[in-house]
Amino acid sequence: MKKIESLAEYYQDYQESIDHPESFWEDKASSFQWMSKWSKVLNWEFDSPKVEWFVGGKLNITENCLDRHLEIRPNQVAILWEPNDPKEKVVKITYKELHIRVSIFANVLKNHGAKKGDRICLYMPMVPELAIATLACARIGAIHSVVFAGFSAKALADRINDASCNILLTSDGSYRGSKQLCLKAIADKALESCSSITSCIVLKRTGEKISMKPKRDFWWKEEISKVTSLCKAQKMDSEDPLFILYTSGSTGKPKGVQHHCGGYMVYAEYSFRNVFQYNQNDIYWCTADIGWITGHTYIIYGPLLAGATTLMFEGVPTFPDAGRFWEICDKHQVNIFYTAPTAIRALQACGNEFPEKYDLSSLKTLGSVGEPINEEAWHWYNKYIGREKCSIVDTWWQTETGGILISPLSNITKTKPTYATLPLPGIQPCIVDLNGDELLGNNVQGNLCIKFPWPSMIRTIYGDHERCKNVYFSNYPGKYFTGDGCKRDHDGFYRITGRVDDVINVSGHRLGTAEVENGINEHPLVIENAVVGFPHDIKGQGIYAYIILDKNSLSENELTEQILETVVKEIGSIAKPDKIQFVRGLPKTRSGKIMRRILRKVAEGDTSTLGDTSTLLDPSVVEGIIKNSK
Ligand code: PRX
């Protein structure tokens, strides 16, 4: 696939993609290997919604990630794996080896009865086998559902049950910096309430003692010794599901965002090549976890479709010290580095001496994703990591969009700190006001929508199409609503200002306030609670919980501890509130609605502009909340 090489070409392609979207995408799709060609490029309407790309086309994404590279680059490293412990050996897997290992594991899955359309859950550390198993699912047409290995047993069980997965892939344990986590014990707990799982295949990583349930649990190593390395790729329709990935919304339980084979494939490679301006032989590193969409699209699919070398890191940025990222960049001569603002801020706080120790001259593109990047972090990234010679791409997108929609193209688009800048070709963003009217021209601010389909957009929510319609396509009929606020400045550049719904973004992890509230409510002494986000220096947003308790004799400290434990058990440690305030009441309107605006203001420490509180059911609760705020 040819990439855009100049700003003029970008504008030309952009215009072309608006004027003739079908021929534009048909041209991009033609660079892939299809088993049979599509009969129509696009069918769409946003009311149901129903979106189909490359209608009737048949393919397997793994043939495009693996088989088609075999002749040209069999011995090029596809996955370069850096372990948690820098003393452990790096693993290099070539395209040829990856093809074999994916085929072998695909046969293991088949041996366990997996077939096209089945859902397979992966709950694993960041080891090469996670990428291999993900691709193995795709090879046989099973739908992978990767669950971040920081989620609790309860959260894992909910996700397995929602999708009725029949196989679980996990490991004995995982290493995260100096910590070791026994994943299998968590999986065992989850499986107590997951009757759909018939096989659990366990990779040995830490060697810790675990229990193996006869006839249900199998060792990875033994299973791969039973099969051959030949596995024909399953023929998939362009609109067959490729994967489900759970993400939080403003209400209810997490939703299984569903992506489909053809369109996702085309957009993953297209966006990867263009945003990062990938050149052959570049070493590319995305620090995300495969448990999130960034890992799916920009560790596995995008880079492998492009025939790149993708670096995968098992550990954390601060182990053994805060120079780890930079040490890895130096050691592997990384050219393209993609991380999250929260990591940048955390490392910035550790001091400049860490990056200064390393040779970072191989870097040419630096990426940011997951949350708005503040100006200070942007400048530090530019100066201390990019040494003022790299292009910074602030990439805006979402689990639902499948790939990057608004971003500079490295070294092509002018960058501007805190701005995601311009839409990629094929992407038609619009800003709407609260009435849903599109705000035309520049210097406008409102809610961000997309008014035309793109190939990797969400197709449905697994098992709940109605929810997909309500959440994304009902607020502004005829448009996809992102849930983000946005500004378009005098240059026509986009700046994402953050969520406008009840979703909070903690260290780039998306959490619904309702989800955290439900977790807190599981504590027997909690009567009611309300959760809001507040600005946090490192995490971007922190979690502030206001809690009403039943009468009790425990101390506040004891209760705080217990409530934190409850949240960890219900969701995982990423959802632990940073601040807990016990309150007598919550500010409610007479109709019983919690006035979150007031709670947000208090959490932000700004009580000067609370607005009119006289219409509240009990205005006096606000005084108490302000007085005891944390
Ligand atoms: O609020 C936006 C924020 O992250 C949300 C999507 O979260 P998730 O689905 O978990 O995907 C994260 C990785 C793609 C968005 O609605 N967000 C993501 N990237 C940016 C961002 N906010 C500002 N700038 C970004 N570059």
Side-chain angles (χ1 to χ4, degrees):
M1 184 189 281
K2 202 184 146 301
K3 66 177 193 295
I4 297 166
E5 283 180 343
S6 66
L7 193 58
E9 208 182 314
Y10 161 74
Y11 281 116
Q12 201 182 334
D13 274 24
Y14 190 80
Q15 198 54 49
E16 176 67 23
S17 77
I18 306 295
D19 296 342
H20 307 286
E22 299 202 13
S23 60
F24 176 83
W25 287 114
E26 172 143 58
D27 173 60
K28 309 302 164 221
S30 300
S31 69
F32 293 85
Q33 199 171 303
W34 294 80
M35 293 172 181
S36 53
K37 213 187 151 181
W38 52 90
S39 53
K40 192 158 187 281
V41 176
L42 173 64
N43 276 332
W44 73 289
E45 50 93 0
F46 274 177
D47 296 330
S48 314
K50 187 176 162 93
V51 175
E52 296 174 325
W53 280 93
F54 313 113
V55 185
K58 306 285 179 201
L59 76 150
N60 187 292
I61 195 167
T62 69
E63 283 196 338
N64 288 278
C65 289
L66 303 170
D67 303 56
R68 71 171 168 155
H69 300 311
L70 290 184
E71 259 184 37
I72 335 162
R73 52 181 69 88
N75 300 318
Q76 185 196 312
V77 175
I79 297 180
L80 174 55
W81 180 74
E82 173 73 29
N84 178 62
D85 180 350
K87 292 193 215 84
E88 197 182 326
K89 234 174 111 212
V90 163
V91 172
K92 293 181 179 178
I93 305 175
T94 63
Y95 272 93
K96 195 167 145 204
E97 287 161 349
L98 187 60
H99 180 258
I100 293 171
R101 291 184 66 177
V102 168
S103 304
I104 290 175
F105 202 72
N107 284 333
V108 168
L109 295 174
K110 279 199 203 164
N111 255 1
H112 283 264
K115 53 185 190 316
K116 181 176 171 184
D118 284 356
R119 278 80 52 216
I120 296 181
C121 180
L122 295 85
Y123 183 69
M124 293 183 64
M126 282 286 287
V127 289
E129 286 81 357
L130 169 54
I132 290 167
T134 304
L135 291 163
C137 292
R139 187 83 177 167
I140 63 167
I143 303 168
H144 53 81
S145 168
V146 183
V147 175
F148 173 60
F151 278 120
S152 68
K154 168 84 171 28
L156 173 61
D158 285 349
R159 286 156 175 79
I160 291 175
N161 288 332
D162 184 75
S164 308
C165 297
N166 50 2
I167 297 179
L168 172 67
L169 308 175
T170 189
S171 71
D172 51 357
S174 70
Y175 296 119
R176 301 280 295 159
S178 56
K179 291 194 205 120
Q180 197 172 314
L181 193 66
C182 185
L183 292 185
K184 178 63 165 57
I186 301 171
D188 284 341
K189 182 100 195 60
L191 291 187
E192 285 171 14
S193 57
C194 299
S195 55
S196 58
I197 296 284
T198 51
S199 297
C200 172
I201 304 174
V202 186
L203 179 79
K204 189 177 215 164
R205 172 67 187 123
T206 56
E208 64 202 84
K209 203 166 156 13
I210 54 165
S211 68
M212 294 289 279
K213 188 171 170 186
K215 298 208 175 98
R216 186 198 69 187
D217 298 348
F218 303 87
W219 284 107
W220 200 285
K221 201 165 166 196
E222 286 172 19
E223 294 311 290
I224 61 176
S225 69
K226 297 179 188 161
V227 296
T228 70
S229 60
L230 285 180
C231 180
K232 208 167 150 242
Q234 172 72 40
K235 191 191 256 193
M236 303 296 283
D237 190 89
S238 177
E239 282 300 330
D240 277 334
L242 172 64
F243 67 86
I244 299 169
L245 185 58
Y246 285 85
T247 191
S248 301
S250 47
T251 54
K253 57 185 173 95
K255 40 196 186 215
V257 170
Q258 195 170 300
H259 284 289
H260 289 189
C261 297
Y264 177 82
M265 170 178 79
V266 171
Y267 199 77
E269 183 180 340
Y270 178 75
S271 54
F272 171 76
R273 279 192 189 275
N274 284 296
V275 169
F276 300 108
Q277 288 291 301
Y278 167 75
N279 284 326
Q280 218 188 317
N281 300 324
D282 277 348
I283 305 290
Y284 164 85
W285 180 18
C286 166
T287 70
D289 192 288
I290 290 174
W292 311 113
I293 190 68
T294 310
H296 281 60
T297 311
Y298 298 111
I299 294 179
I300 301 184
Y301 288 113
L304 295 179
L305 286 164
T309 298
T310 177
L311 197 155
M312 192 176 161
F313 175 43
E314 183 185 32
V316 297
T318 49
F319 178 79
D321 65 35
R324 188 69 194 278
F325 272 5
W326 324 127
E327 185 246 336
I328 297 174
C329 286
D330 183 346
K331 175 169 159 193
H332 298 294
Q333 291 290 291
V334 171
N335 307 107
I336 304 169
F337 177 72
Y338 191 27
T339 197
T342 186
I344 301 169
R345 288 190 295 264
L347 296 175
Q348 178 181 9
C350 295
N352 303 337
E353 62 273 25
F354 290 100
E356 273 165 4
K357 271 194 265 179
Y358 298 99
D359 170 18
L360 299 180
S361 59
S362 58
L363 291 171
K364 55 174 194 174
T365 299
L366 300 177
S368 169
V369 61
E371 51 176 313
I373 179 165
N374 51 309
E375 203 147 348
E376 210 192 336
W378 194 101
H379 286 297
W380 186 82
Y381 200 25
N382 184 36
K383 187 164 172 195
Y384 291 96
I385 310 307
R387 315 260 152 103
E388 288 171 342
K389 286 198 208 89
C390 292
S391 179
I392 297 189
V393 290
D394 177 357
T395 64
W396 174 83
W397 59 297
Q398 312 176 295
T399 305
E400 294 86 345
T401 69
I404 299 166
L405 298 199
I406 305 183
S407 169
L409 307 184
S410 175
N411 277 310
I412 289 180
T413 320
K414 194 177 123 200
T415 57
K416 203 186 247 191
T418 76
Y419 280 76
T421 72
L422 297 171
L424 264 67
I427 307 304
Q428 301 191 32
C430 63
I431 299 181
V432 295
D433 64 16
L434 293 177
N435 301 321
D437 293 325
E438 184 173 348
L439 300 169
L440 299 169
N442 290 338
N443 274 325
V444 289
Q445 183 157 358
N447 289 347
L448 179 64
C449 293
I450 316 283
K451 58 184 180 186
F452 194 84
W454 64 99
S456 65
M457 70 183 294
I458 180 175
R459 297 300 195 271
T460 190
I461 287 173
Y462 185 83
D464 198 349
H465 193 68
E466 198 56 23
R467 191 167 174 203
C468 176
K469 174 180 169 168
N470 291 338
V471 175
Y472 307 107
F473 298 92
S474 298
N475 287 288
Y476 305 107
K479 298 183 180 77
Y480 165 84
F481 175 45
T482 64
D484 278 320
C486 177
K487 171 180 159 181
R488 189 166 51 223
D489 76 353
H490 54 273
D491 289 326
F493 279 19
Y494 290 83
R495 177 176 199 258
I496 311 303
T497 50
R499 301 288 305 195
V500 293
D501 52 10
D502 287 324
V503 167
I504 38 187
N505 199 327
V506 183
S507 300
H509 303 320
R510 205 168 134 175
L511 290 163
T513 50
E515 199 182 347
V516 183
E517 286 164 4
N518 292 341
I520 294 174
N521 270 338
E522 288 300 312
H523 190 285
L525 291 174
V526 172
I527 292 185
E528 196 180 4
N529 79 97
V531 159
V532 295
F534 71 97
H536 187 287
D537 283 350
I538 304 287
K539 298 180 177 182
Q541 279 190 297
I543 302 177
Y544 196 124
Y546 299 89
I547 301 177
I548 307 176
L549 289 174
D550 202 355
K551 287 193 181 48
N552 72 89
S553 54
L554 295 174
S555 73
E556 283 208 355
N557 282 349
E558 278 172 304
L559 276 163
T560 302
E561 276 309 309
Q562 286 186 7
I563 287 168
L564 293 178
E565 266 172 42
T566 308
V567 174
V568 171
K569 193 166 133 255
E570 290 296 310
I571 308 170
S573 37
I574 53 172
K576 266 202 300 209
D578 299 272
K579 293 184 184 180
I580 288 182
Q581 182 181 347
F582 297 109
V583 295
R584 172 173 69 78
L586 292 166
K588 287 190 179 170
T589 59
R590 294 212 170 99
S591 60
K593 196 169 162 275
I594 297 174
M595 295 284 281
R596 288 170 184 281
R597 185 179 50 79
I598 294 177
L599 296 176
R600 270 195 290 268
K601 285 272 179 203
V602 176
E604 282 164 18
D606 171 15
T607 50
S608 58
T609 51
L610 288 186
D612 183 14
T613 55
S614 62
T615 55
L616 292 176
L617 193 61
D618 177 3
S620 72
V621 296
V622 178
E623 285 155 40
I625 288 177
I626 295 174
K627 199 165 128 235
N628 299 315
S629 66
K630 303 266 163 174

